Amino acid sequence: MADMYKNVDGKRIKMTSEEVAQRQADDNAFADDAPNRKLAKLRNDRIPLLQEADYKINNLVDNGGDASAWRKYRQELRDITNTSDLDNVTFPAKPS
């Protein structure tokens, strides 16, 4: 295995075997958590779409319109987090 170094006070110092092991454990933990970070980003990206859907639904209901298409769209947005492929998520199309 190649030596690993750290920078301390502007000096390059070789890491101890314990430091290398901890660094590798940290790197592995970060890599293992990638699906959770992707899911959190997906949820964050969908927030404004859910807010827009809520607004449209409330507006249609208040004015006696049919909100079923927007309700279906909102449910599709909520269900989007159930996907097993977080790398290829397609958001549903907004109702016209």
Side-chain angles (χ1 to χ4, degrees):
M1 180 169 82
D3 292 335
M4 294 182 77
Y5 294 87
K6 61 184 177 179
N7 194 0
V8 177
D9 295 329
K11 296 180 183 174
R12 188 172 183 223
I13 298 174
K14 184 176 176 184
M15 294 172 73
T16 66
S17 59
E18 292 83 14
E19 290 173 323
V20 170
Q22 183 61 51
R23 173 64 186 264
Q24 290 172 339
D26 292 345
D27 289 349
N28 289 339
F30 183 79
D32 290 344
D33 196 44
N36 290 330
R37 288 192 310 278
K38 289 177 184 176
L39 188 57
K41 182 183 181 322
L42 175 61
R43 286 181 172 139
N44 192 49
D45 290 346
R46 125 187 122 166
I47 288 172
L49 300 174
L50 287 169
Q51 291 171 336
E52 177 187 20
D54 288 344
Y55 173 80
K56 295 284 189 176
I57 291 167
N58 290 332
N59 193 26
L60 285 166
V61 169
D62 288 347
N63 293 312
D66 179 16
S68 61
W70 280 96
R71 285 188 174 117
K72 181 178 181 284
Y73 169 70
R74 188 179 196 291
Q75 187 59 51
E76 290 170 351
L77 286 173
R78 291 182 56 86
D79 292 342
I80 204 167
T81 57
N82 296 334
T83 184
S84 59
D85 186 4
L86 293 171
D87 292 320
N88 296 307
V89 174
T90 302
F91 282 90
K94 291 180 187 177
S96 50

